[in-house]
Amino acid sequence: MKIIESIVSISKVDHERVEHVWHNLGFPYVMVKYMVVCICAVQFVVAQDSLNTVTAEPGDGILSLLRKQGVDPYEVMDEFIYINSERLKDSVHLVAGRTYVMPRTVLDTVAIVDSIQKQSTDIKKLESSKYDLFGEKHKNVIAKSKRLKGTIYYLVSGHGGPDPGAMGTYAGKAIAEDEYAYDITLRLARELMAHGATVYIIIQDGNDGIRDDRILEIDHDEVAYPDKEIPLNQVARLKQRVQIVNDLYKDNKGKYQRLIVTHVDSRSEGQNIDVFFYHHEKSKNGKKLAESIHKTFEAKYKKFQPNRTYAGTFEDRTSLYLVKKTHPAMTFIEIGNIRNAKDQVRILDPDNRQALAKWISEGILLDYEDK
C-alpha cells in the first residue's frame, strides 16, 4: 500500500509512463498491470488530477511550445514526445489547434522509481546513461526499450575535418553538408542507444553535440574514431573510414552488425529531391536494411503527406567507395539537396532533423525485428 500512496497524485495520462518504467525495472507484466489498476482505483476514490494541457498555435514547434510554458524544453522534450506520440505529426511535429498534454515533470518518474526502490533491494536502477558527445542539453539518454540489445551499429556522417562537403546558402550564410549530416547522425545514434544498441560514431566533433539551430556554424575540427586526424585527400579520407569500420567489424565478429552512412546531396538549385537509400548489389542484408528504412519513409509520407508522392528509392550503388569496400551490411543515405529551398527546410529545421533520425531508427527497428 505504501507504493500506491507514494504515487497517488499521478494523473491517468501518466499510467502509461509508470507502466513503461516498471517494465524497464523488470517487474512481471501481470504485477505491473495489477499495480496500475490499483493506482486507478485509489485515484478514483481520493481525487482526480486535472490534466495540464496546451493548444499549439501556428508556428509552434515543440521547443518553443515548452519554453512558452515556462519549462526547460531539454529536460522534458523526450517525455512530451512519449506521452503525446499519437497526437504528433511526423513523430515530432505539432499540429496547430491540436491540444497536447504537458509533462508534470521529469522528476515525477524519478520519484516513482525512488519510492519503489526503497521497498526492495532486488529492483534494478532505471537505465540512464550520459554521452558527452551529444552535448550538454542532450547527453542524458534514457532507455526506451531493449529491442536492439546485442546489436552493433556503425554510423558515418559524410565529409568532415578539412572537407565540409556540399555547400549551400541560406539567409545569406554558408551552410555545409558535414554539419547537418553529423547532427542527424548524432540524433540517430541517440535513438538507437535508447533501444539498447551499441553504437560507434565514426566521425566525431567534441565541441558541437546535437544542435537545435537552423544555421549550424561551420568548423573543421572533426576527427575519425577514436581521435584520428581526417585527411584532406578524398581517397585517403575514404580509406581511413573503411579501415576503421572493417577493423571494428573484425573485433566484433559473430555479433549482429550494420553500417549507416549519412550524406546530404548537392544538385542544381531547382531540383527538389527526396531521401534515397543505397546498398551493395550483392548484399542481401544490406538491401533488406535499405528497403526497411525506405518502407518506413513511404508509410510516413502516406500518413502525413497523403497528397504528395514519395519519390525516394532504394537501389544498389556499389560504385560508391564506402558501399563497395566496407564489410558490414549497410545502407548509404542521401538526405536531400542542400542547394534547393524546399530541401533546405527538411535539412535546416531541427525538428525535421529529429524526425529524419526517428524515421531512420524506426526503419532500423523494422529491419532487425523482421528476421
Side-chain angles (χ1 to χ4, degrees):
M1 190 61 187
K2 288 183 179 179
I3 297 177
I4 303 299
E5 290 172 353
S6 68
I7 50 179
V8 68
S9 64
I10 302 171
S11 64
K12 284 186 177 180
V13 73
D14 293 318
H15 294 157
E16 187 178 354
R17 295 165 50 200
V18 175
E19 188 173 328
H20 173 72
V21 170
W22 283 343
H23 275 306
N24 281 342
L25 290 173
F27 279 99
Y29 179 80
V30 173
M31 184 181 292
V32 171
K33 284 297 184 183
Y34 173 75
M35 296 169 86
V36 172
V37 169
C38 288
I39 296 169
C40 295
V42 173
Q43 285 181 313
F44 181 78
V45 173
V46 180
Q48 174 62 57
D49 284 350
S50 59
L51 302 181
N52 184 10
T53 61
V54 60
T55 301
E57 299 177 354
D60 274 342
I62 294 177
L63 296 177
S64 61
L65 181 74
L66 294 174
R67 287 193 186 99
K68 286 194 291 186
Q69 299 306 305
V71 298
D72 184 341
Y74 300 105
E75 287 188 2
V76 301
M77 183 174 181
D78 286 347
E79 189 74 4
F80 180 91
I81 292 173
Y82 179 76
I83 63 179
N84 290 286
S85 59
E86 297 300 319
R87 302 176 179 87
L88 294 170
K89 176 182 178 182
D90 298 355
S91 301
V92 296
H93 288 112
L94 302 177
V95 177
R98 186 170 294 177
T99 299
Y100 296 91
V101 178
M102 288 291 295
R104 292 172 63 84
T105 169
V106 292
L107 295 179
D108 282 347
T109 304
V110 176
I112 293 166
V113 175
D114 287 345
S115 69
I116 297 174
Q117 284 177 332
K118 291 176 183 177
Q119 313 300 320
S120 171
T121 58
D122 297 328
I123 297 175
K124 303 174 186 177
K125 291 183 179 179
L126 179 64
E127 294 183 33
S128 176
S129 302
K130 292 183 179 180
Y131 299 91
D132 291 336
L133 195 62
F134 295 146
E136 184 64 28
K137 295 175 180 177
H138 296 275
K139 66 181 180 181
N140 293 312
V141 180
I142 298 175
K144 297 178 181 178
S145 76
K146 295 182 179 180
R147 295 167 66 184
L148 293 175
K149 183 179 179 181
T151 66
I152 296 175
Y153 289 90
Y154 308 108
L155 305 187
V156 179
S157 54
H159 304 277
D163 177 21
M167 300 292 293
T169 303
Y170 178 82
K173 295 199 69 174
I175 54 175
E177 171 184 3
D178 68 324
E179 304 297 340
Y180 294 91
Y182 181 63
D183 189 76
I184 293 168
T185 295
L186 289 184
R187 292 171 188 271
L188 173 59
R190 195 167 181 268
E191 288 290 326
L192 298 179
M193 288 176 178
H195 288 291
T198 296
V199 178
Y200 290 90
I201 302 171
I202 305 303
I203 304 302
Q204 303 183 359
D205 187 330
N207 300 322
D208 284 347
I210 294 172
R211 292 175 281 178
D212 294 313
D213 306 303
R214 297 182 72 86
I215 302 293
L216 300 184
E217 295 297 330
I218 301 172
D219 61 27
H220 304 282
D221 58 350
E222 294 85 7
V223 297
Y225 178 89
D227 58 1
K228 299 177 181 179
E229 182 178 353
I230 298 174
L232 174 61
N233 179 270
Q234 181 186 19
V235 175
R237 185 170 62 250
L238 294 174
K239 284 184 176 180
Q240 180 189 62
R241 292 172 194 204
V242 167
Q243 188 68 51
I244 292 169
V245 170
N246 288 348
D247 284 348
L248 288 169
Y249 182 78
K250 182 179 179 181
D251 291 343
N252 291 300
K253 185 178 180 181
K255 299 179 181 179
Y256 183 96
Q257 305 179 61
R258 296 292 185 267
L259 166 64
I260 311 291
V261 179
T262 307
H263 277 255
V264 180
D265 208 347
S266 177
R267 305 189 184 189
S268 66
E269 291 184 10
Q271 190 170 0
N272 172 218
I273 64 174
D274 275 313
V275 183
F276 290 82
F277 308 94
Y278 304 126
H279 60 86
H280 194 288
E281 62 181 350
K282 295 182 179 180
S283 174
K284 179 180 177 180
N285 289 331
K287 179 180 179 180
K288 179 173 170 290
L289 174 62
E291 184 177 12
S292 295
I293 305 175
H294 179 265
K295 280 183 179 178
T296 301
F297 271 67
E298 276 189 324
K300 296 292 185 181
Y301 270 71
K302 185 176 181 180
K303 179 177 180 180
F304 298 118
Q305 300 185 46
N307 296 322
R308 185 190 165 199
T309 302
Y310 174 57
T313 61
F314 74 96
E315 58 189 77
D316 65 89
R317 189 64 67 87
T318 311
S319 59
L320 294 170
Y321 195 91
L322 263 67
V323 175
K324 184 177 182 178
K325 298 290 186 178
T326 50
H327 294 162
M330 63 93 73
T331 185
F332 187 109
I333 305 175
E334 288 282 10
I335 296 297
N337 178 8
I338 199 169
R339 300 180 63 200
N340 178 267
K342 289 183 179 179
D343 282 359
Q344 284 180 349
V345 174
R346 178 192 306 144
I347 299 164
L348 271 63
D349 186 328
D351 286 346
N352 285 343
R353 296 199 297 273
Q354 181 62 31
L356 285 167
K358 196 168 188 306
W359 289 10
I360 295 170
S361 72
E362 289 178 15
I364 289 171
L365 283 163
L366 175 65
D367 170 66
Y368 179 65
E369 294 176 341
D370 183 26
K371 291 184 292 185

